[in-house]
Amino acid sequence: MNEELRKIATQNFEIWNDSLQTKEPEKVAALYSDDATFLPTVLGEFKRGKTGAKEYFVHFLEKNPSGRIVQDEVQEISQDKYLHCGHYDFEIDNKDEGATSPRKTVNARFSYVWKKKEDGSYEILHHHSSLKP
């Protein structure tokens, strides 16, 4: 695998994860392209674009999520696009009745397609995440 591309994928995931820490849905949604497709982890709806991402993250950010990649692969699609997929863990607030810990870990699968923009930064064209069976 291209180590430079792996480094870019890791940096872009960190940018995305850091945007979650702001608790501002607009900042997370800004990472998605205007025509992005998004199949979120804890919602069965298909979301589109920045607006769809923002709608989802309004509620997801209430859980104070923090992600960590457990296993991943990066595949070049073209000179300006790549696929980043694998498994990640999310630590979120535990609001379960009778919970003994204030936080819990949720295991999920992910895939992102990232596209390089003219300014050299990247945006998300597609994001799919689902709970690990």
Side-chain angles (χ1 to χ4, degrees):
M1 177 202 309
N2 178 331
E3 285 306 312
E4 182 62 27
L5 190 56
R6 175 172 282 289
K7 182 178 174 184
I8 290 168
T10 300
Q11 289 171 340
N12 283 334
F13 178 81
E14 289 172 4
I15 289 168
W16 181 82
N17 194 46
D18 288 347
S19 75
L20 298 178
Q21 307 316 301
T22 69
K23 297 183 178 62
E24 296 178 34
E26 299 82 10
K27 289 199 179 197
V28 183
L31 297 173
Y32 291 75
S33 73
D34 290 332
D35 58 350
T37 54
F38 181 28
L39 295 163
T41 308
V42 293
L43 186 67
E45 293 178 29
F46 189 65
K47 298 288 188 180
R48 291 194 158 283
K50 293 179 190 305
T51 302
K54 181 182 172 188
E55 288 171 357
Y56 174 74
F57 284 108
V58 163
H59 301 291
F60 186 66
L61 293 177
E62 292 173 352
K63 300 172 188 267
N64 296 312
S66 179
R68 179 182 68 83
I69 293 176
V70 176
Q71 177 185 16
D72 66 338
E73 292 293 331
V74 181
Q75 297 170 292
E76 186 173 23
I77 296 172
S78 67
Q79 285 187 323
D80 67 340
K81 293 181 193 84
Y82 69 89
L83 169 67
H84 188 197
C85 60
H87 295 159
Y88 49 21
D89 286 344
F90 271 96
E91 203 173 276
I92 60 173
D93 287 348
N94 190 357
K95 301 198 187 231
D96 294 342
E97 189 174 317
T100 58
S101 174
R103 304 277 286 164
K104 69 178 177 180
T105 301
V106 175
N107 310 110
R109 301 173 286 198
F110 71 87
S111 59
Y112 295 89
V113 175
W114 291 83
K115 181 181 190 266
K116 190 174 193 176
K117 300 189 307 188
E118 287 184 21
D119 68 3
S121 66
Y122 284 80
E123 64 185 355
I124 300 167
L125 290 178
H126 177 74
H127 176 190
H128 176 219
S129 185
S130 58
L131 293 177
K132 207 169 158 186

